[in-house]
């Protein structure tokens, strides 16, 4: 039996690495992209020229109906989703003083409402089939807070509250729900930070003295998706080079 793994935002830095890892492990890999993403077709073609055989569907994760339509199409074309990786996310960093309602809403809708919108579409099926995995990609900044990220820290912390509550509800049904909280990983979300800030402010906070690699996050996601991880649920797993320990 080939399991279906759906990764939201699979065309981003972490998402792509997660898709590649899951494909290497033999999953049917499906990713979503924003309906406004004009480069999605090119990305898919490049990946499939490399032999990955990914499928990709448009989905605005902030929109419940778009999430519903996406999962219905995936289920019809490929099969029910066994592993959902809620990875899509954005930042709109600024101090609380400058933050507008629109900046708040955009980040909460994309990072947190998305988790409800997507998980809602797949959970009943997972419970019926007595097997499923929900993996929510949060952030170290949801654990410890970060200057200029009241919106992002709130959304990412909210993911873990959702994780713990839902994990309790579905534990008896073979479905696990977990959060992972990466530290700074070398994707465009982080490499967009000016090098002098990375060197002077960020790297000194990381005991392993480097940014994380997307492949390191993908390896953790793959483990959480596996049968071996059946006893691991409701957790928030830090993967941050020792930046934040508790
Ligand atoms: P990227 O910006 O590279 O990727 C983000 C993805 O989210 C994109 O593929 C984008 O799709 C998708 N996305 C954004 N808005 C929407 C939307 N409304 N509907 C559907 N998809 C959407 O970021 P990363 O790969 O770096 O980050 C992935 C996740 O990891 C995020 O949740 C982020 O918060 C988290 N994270 C990242 C860290 C890092 O250091 N990089 C550290 C900790 C957590 P599209 O391009 O099609 O719009």
């Amino acid at each position: 039996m080939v399991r279906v793994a759906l990764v939201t935002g699979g065309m981003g830095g972490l998402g792509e690495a997660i898709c590649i890892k899951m494909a290497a492990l033999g999953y049917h890999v499906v990713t979503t992209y924003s309906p406004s993403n004009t480069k999605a077709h090119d990305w898919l073609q490049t990946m499939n020229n490399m032999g990955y055989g990914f499928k990709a569907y448009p989905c605005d994760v902030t929109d419940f109906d778009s999430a519903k339509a996406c999962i219905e199409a995936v289920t019809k074309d490929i099969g029910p989703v066994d592993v959902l990786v809620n990875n899509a996310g954005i930042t709109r960093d600024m101090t609380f003083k400058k933050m507008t309602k629109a900046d708040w809403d955009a980040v909460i809708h994309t990072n947190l409402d998305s988790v409800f919108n997507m998980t809602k579409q797949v959970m009943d099926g997972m419970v019926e089939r007595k097997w499923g995995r929900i993996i929510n990609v949060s952030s170290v900044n949801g654990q410890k807070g970060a200057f200029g990220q009241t919106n992002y820290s709130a959304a990412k912390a909210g993911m873990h509250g959702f994780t713990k509550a839902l994990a309790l509800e579905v534990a008896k049904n073979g479905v696990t729900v977990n959060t992972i909280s990466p530290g700074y990983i070398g994707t465009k979300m982080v490499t967009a930070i000016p090098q002098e800030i990375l060197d002077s402010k960020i790297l000194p906070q990381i005991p392993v003295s480097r940014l994380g690699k997307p492949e390191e996050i993908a390896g953790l996601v793959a483990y959480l998706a596996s049968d071996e991880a059946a006893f691991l649920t409701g957790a928030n797993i830090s993967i941050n080079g020792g930046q934040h320990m508790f």
Side-chain angles (χ1 to χ4, degrees):
M1 179 204 48
V2 177
R3 287 187 171 136
V4 176
L6 186 142
V7 183
T8 65
M11 299 184 185
L14 293 189
E16 181 181 293
I18 295 167
C19 288
I20 289 172
K21 179 72 180 179
M22 298 303 273
L25 292 170
Y27 291 84
H28 279 312
V29 176
V30 182
T31 180
T32 69
Y33 57 93
S34 298
S36 59
N37 183 341
T38 52
K39 295 186 181 145
H41 183 73
D42 292 346
W43 179 88
L44 189 62
Q45 201 158 33
T46 306
M47 286 290 139
N48 288 345
N49 288 344
M50 292 163 75
Y52 288 116
F54 298 154
K55 299 284 189 303
Y57 289 77
C59 177
D60 177 356
V61 296
T62 68
D63 179 340
F64 186 83
D65 292 335
S66 179
K68 185 166 186 284
C70 169
I71 297 295
E72 282 172 358
V74 171
T75 306
K76 182 167 162 281
D77 297 347
I78 303 162
V81 173
D82 299 298
V83 177
L84 170 64
V85 185
N86 285 310
N87 165 74
I90 59 166
T91 51
R92 285 225 192 146
D93 296 355
M94 64 204 73
T95 57
F96 183 68
K97 189 176 174 59
K98 291 189 184 146
M99 191 174 289
T100 65
K101 175 82 166 84
D103 299 321
W104 172 267
D105 285 345
V107 169
I108 299 290
H109 291 161
T110 310
N111 294 278
L112 184 58
D113 291 357
S114 59
V115 174
F116 175 84
N117 292 341
M118 297 303 294
T119 307
K120 188 72 179 163
Q121 317 303 334
V122 301
M123 186 50 72
D124 287 352
M126 289 180 176
V127 166
E128 272 164 32
R129 295 191 304 281
K130 301 273 182 221
W131 201 95
R133 299 282 186 267
I134 306 291
I135 301 159
N136 297 317
V137 182
S138 179
S139 166
V140 65
N141 291 345
Q143 296 173 301
K144 67 174 192 53
F147 188 95
Q149 289 196 325
T150 49
N151 50 4
Y152 187 76
S153 297
K156 292 305 198 185
M159 275 184 172
H160 186 48
F162 172 94
T163 292
K164 290 188 283 188
L166 185 58
L168 286 174
E169 293 184 22
V170 298
K172 284 196 184 115
N173 302 102
V175 182
T176 68
V177 188
N178 288 292
T179 304
I180 66 169
S181 289
Y184 288 91
I185 314 299
T187 70
K188 71 174 182 327
M189 193 179 260
V190 166
T191 52
I193 300 170
Q195 191 62 43
E196 67 268 21
I197 307 266
L198 278 174
D199 289 342
S200 64
K201 297 237 156 59
I202 293 178
L203 289 175
Q205 298 175 33
I206 306 173
V208 302
S209 295
R210 65 169 173 83
L211 299 177
K213 299 175 190 164
E215 297 75 20
E216 292 169 328
I217 305 304
L220 177 58
V221 169
Y223 174 67
L224 289 171
S226 71
D227 283 315
E228 286 170 292
F231 202 57
L232 206 176
T233 195
N236 185 1
I237 302 180
S238 302
I239 175 162
N240 59 33
Q243 184 193 350
H244 181 64
M245 305 178 191
F246 64 99

